[in-house]
Amino acid sequence: MNDTPGWASPGSAPSDGQEAGASGPAEPADRPGSSDQPGTDPQGPGSKWSKEQPPPAQWSAPTGPANPGQTPPPPPPGPGWGSGWGGPPPAAKPGVIPLRPLGVGEILDGAVSTMRTYWRTVLGISLGVAVITQIVVILLEGLVLNDANTAALDDPSASVDELTRALGDAMLSTGVVFLISLIGTIVATALLTTVTSRAVLGKSVTTGEAWRDARPQVAKLFGLIFLLILIAVAVVAVGALPGILAVVAGAGDGGAALAVLGSLATGVVALWLMVRFSLASPALMLEKQSILKSLSRSAKLVRGSWWRVFGIQLLATLIANIVASIVVLPFAFIASALDGEGFTGLMNSGSDLGWTYLIVSGIGSVIGAMITFPITAGVTVLLYIDQRIRREALDLELARAAGIQDSGTGTAGPTPGG
């Protein structure tokens, strides 16, 4: 059998059909141990070998290839590859996330790392927006909204007109508070989007710099949020409209049931649309897009990843609100205990909320907002960046923007949770 090139060992026998010495110097016929006859004296007459031979263990292996023209074996892998084939080197990480497709845990950790690393700017923005928002809410609730007559909601003998007026007042109060909170959320999101995007590159930003960068897009961001709310309300209203018309026509309980079923069905459609457009806010802020183009960009980035985007945002929202509730609920109990009405008065929708309750519970709401604002905004921005990395190789541009040399290597590592 012929020897495989490159695998011949020193001192191996010649190949079949090949004469000795064809691939190297010829061995002397009278070399010790080379006689074919048993009992032949290796030191007999005519021997050309010295009597003093080194023991076999002291023969050194040749330094070159066994046969001329054969390819030497490949060198071992260089450093950085681990033992054997361990995979490519890790991705570059100039900031709070590695520059490659991200897993769920890495997105959540990136949002928390942004809070921890740039806590002065992040908490400063969140605290400022939350304090201003809560002051406005407290003043409205204490001076205006407390005058709303909602006692009829707890009165079983109230007439339909009284219940209608009370329900309208309650919805007005809730809507005003929601609107003010929404405005605060929009401003915080605009500023924190800039902070998080810089944190990805490992660069800090002050509150003033964040405001100067976000200010040209804030008006568009307001328009975007209100357009999304209008879309969601319109979709749900279309589903409830047949049932409402049936109630007006005298269908009674059947019409009411139809309105509820229609609202639930179109509510699912509204949820699908809101997730599809959920990345429009960072697209508008970071790409300086218009409102309609940012909606189109979000739809393109979410396409094919709806469930993943929905799951990550739902998880982030649950975590942020659970943590915030741990802070807010004790303040609500303390506020109700200090207030003259007590906690039972708080549960009574017809009772007025005292200033003590409003101020103490407002402090808890400020602390809760300082937690929810950075987490929800940070996760949305990092999810937007992750989708662009997966679809548009944004990691290469981010590496160059961060000043990393040889940005084309090591950025396509494994994708945990992808």
Side-chain angles (χ1 to χ4, degrees), residues 56 67 120 124 303:
N67 293 321
R120 288 184 178 87
R303 185 182 300 119

Side-chain angles (χ1 to χ4, degrees), residues 62 88 190 203 254 282 343 346 367 391 398 413:
K203 299 178 180 179
F343 188 72
L346 173 65
I367 299 175
R391 296 178 180 271
L398 293 176

Side-chain angles (χ1 to χ4, degrees), residues 130-131 133-135 137-139 141-142 177 324-325 327-339 343 346 353-369:
V131 167
T133 301
Q134 285 303 315
I135 288 176
V137 169
I138 290 173
L139 292 177
E141 288 183 337
V177 174
S325 298
V327 176
V328 173
L329 288 179
F331 278 90
F333 281 104
I334 294 173
S336 61
L338 296 176
D339 191 72
F343 188 72
L346 173 65
L353 299 176
W355 287 103
T356 302
Y357 175 84
L358 293 175
I359 293 174
V360 175
S361 62
I363 294 174
S365 298
V366 168
I367 299 175

Side-chain angles (χ1 to χ4, degrees), residues 55-379:
Q58 294 184 7
W59 285 89
S60 59
T63 57
N67 293 321
Q70 289 185 346
T71 304
W81 287 74
S83 57
W85 299 95
K93 188 179 179 182
V96 294
I97 59 170
L99 300 184
R100 56 166 169 76
L102 304 174
V104 178
E106 290 173 323
I107 293 176
L108 296 174
D109 180 71
V112 175
S113 296
T114 302
M115 293 176 57
R116 185 175 62 250
T117 306
Y118 307 100
W119 62 271
R120 288 184 178 87
T121 303
V122 171
L123 296 184
I125 291 173
S126 302
L127 177 62
V129 174
V131 167
I132 295 174
T133 301
Q134 285 303 315
I135 288 176
V136 176
V137 169
I138 290 173
L139 292 177
L140 283 176
E141 288 183 337
L143 299 176
V144 179
L145 300 181
N146 265 347
D147 295 334
N149 184 14
T150 58
L153 296 177
D154 298 323
D155 186 3
S157 60
S159 64
V160 176
D161 291 339
E162 292 174 341
L163 288 174
T164 302
R165 285 195 298 269
L167 183 61
D169 290 342
M171 292 181 63
L172 177 63
S173 301
T174 303
V176 170
V177 174
F178 172 76
L179 180 62
I180 296 172
S181 301
L182 179 63
I183 293 174
T185 302
I186 292 172
V187 175
T189 301
L191 298 176
L192 293 174
T193 296
T194 301
V195 176
T196 306
S197 64
R198 299 285 184 88
V200 171
L201 302 177
K203 299 178 180 179
S204 61
V205 58
T206 64
T207 304
E209 292 172 344
W211 171 246
R212 284 192 296 271
D213 185 73
R215 182 173 55 188
Q217 298 295 107
V218 170
K220 293 181 181 179
L221 184 61
F222 273 94
L224 172 65
I225 300 299
F226 286 119
L227 177 60
L228 291 176
I229 294 175
L230 181 61
I231 291 174
V233 172
V235 170
V236 175
V238 168
L241 183 60
I244 295 174
L245 294 178
V247 171
V248 173
D253 294 340
L258 180 61
V260 172
L261 291 177
S263 300
L264 292 176
T266 52
V268 174
V269 177
L271 175 63
W272 180 82
L273 288 173
M274 292 304 101
V275 174
R276 189 172 177 85
F277 297 142
S278 61
L279 302 184
S281 172
L284 183 143
M285 297 301 300
L286 298 178
E287 299 182 25
K288 312 300 181 185
Q289 299 277 11
S290 64
I291 294 176
L292 295 180
K293 286 186 178 180
S294 63
L295 292 174
S296 176
R297 283 285 291 152
S298 177
K300 179 181 178 181
L301 293 174
V302 175
R303 185 182 300 119
S305 302
W306 190 94
W307 283 107
R308 181 175 184 272
V309 173
F310 169 72
I312 293 175
Q313 292 189 332
L314 177 62
L315 178 62
T317 302
L318 290 176
I319 292 175
N321 284 280
I322 289 174
V323 175
S325 298
I326 296 174
V327 176
V328 173
L329 288 179
F331 278 90
F333 281 104
I334 294 173
S336 61
L338 296 176
D339 191 72
E341 294 287 339
F343 188 72
T344 56
L346 173 65
M347 300 303 295
N348 183 5
S349 60
S351 62
D352 293 338
L353 299 176
W355 287 103
T356 302
Y357 175 84
L358 293 175
I359 293 174
V360 175
S361 62
I363 294 174
S365 298
V366 168
I367 299 175
M370 292 174 61
I371 299 173
T372 56
F373 283 164
I375 292 179
T376 54
V379 167

